[in-house]
């Protein structure tokens, strides 16, 4: 049998959004649009942007906010709570800073 091979994707780590939180939020459309806009602005050197993935429930279920995590931050348990479209840029920057921080 062949040994496993480790590969690195050409795009940044994906951004995961809780589908259930987004459905309950009043500002869902604005938040989703702002997340997509921010990932488009944060393009890596290869010219690829991070994918935005709707995920099932993370089990946090806060009131009036949307739970978002990004890539390796999900493995460490880093989540950001977003209440409005204005909170998207700082939340993604916070997740990016947590991702670059050594464990």
């Amino acid at each position: 049998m062949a040994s496993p091979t480790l590969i690195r994707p050409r795009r940044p780590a994906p951004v995961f959004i809780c589908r259930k939180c987004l459905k309950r939020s009043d500002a869902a459309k604005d938040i989703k649009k702002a997340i997509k806009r921010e990932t488009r602005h944060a393009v890596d050197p290869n010219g690829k942007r991070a994918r935005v993935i709707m995920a099932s429930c993370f089990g946090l279920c806060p009131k009036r906010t949307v739970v978002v995590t990004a890539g390796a931050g999900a493995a460490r348990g880093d989540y950001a709570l977003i209440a409005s479209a204005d909170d998207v840029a700082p939340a993604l920057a916070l997740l990016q800073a947590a991702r670059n921080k050594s464990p």
Side-chain angles (χ1 to χ4, degrees):
M1 231 158 76
S3 62
T5 304
L6 182 65
I7 61 167
R8 301 222 186 264
R10 292 186 207 140
R11 65 176 65 239
V15 176
F16 298 99
I17 306 170
C18 177
R19 179 182 292 126
K20 187 175 175 183
C21 291
L22 196 64
K23 186 169 77 172
R24 290 186 320 192
S25 175
D26 294 334
K29 188 175 182 180
D30 295 334
I31 291 173
K32 188 174 178 182
K33 194 182 290 187
I35 289 173
K36 286 189 174 192
R37 182 175 45 245
E38 285 298 318
T39 58
R40 208 173 13 248
H41 290 304
V43 174
D44 76 334
N46 294 332
K48 303 274 187 177
R49 67 178 185 88
R51 294 211 184 252
V52 177
I53 299 172
M54 303 299 289
S56 61
C57 185
F58 293 122
L60 302 174
C61 302
K63 293 184 179 179
R64 296 179 294 278
T65 59
V66 177
V67 179
V68 176
T69 189
R76 286 193 310 270
D78 294 339
Y79 298 96
L81 303 178
I82 299 174
S84 69
D86 297 334
D87 298 338
V88 170
L92 291 180
L94 188 63
L95 286 171
Q96 179 68 28
R99 190 180 322 148
N100 291 337
K101 189 171 62 172
S102 61

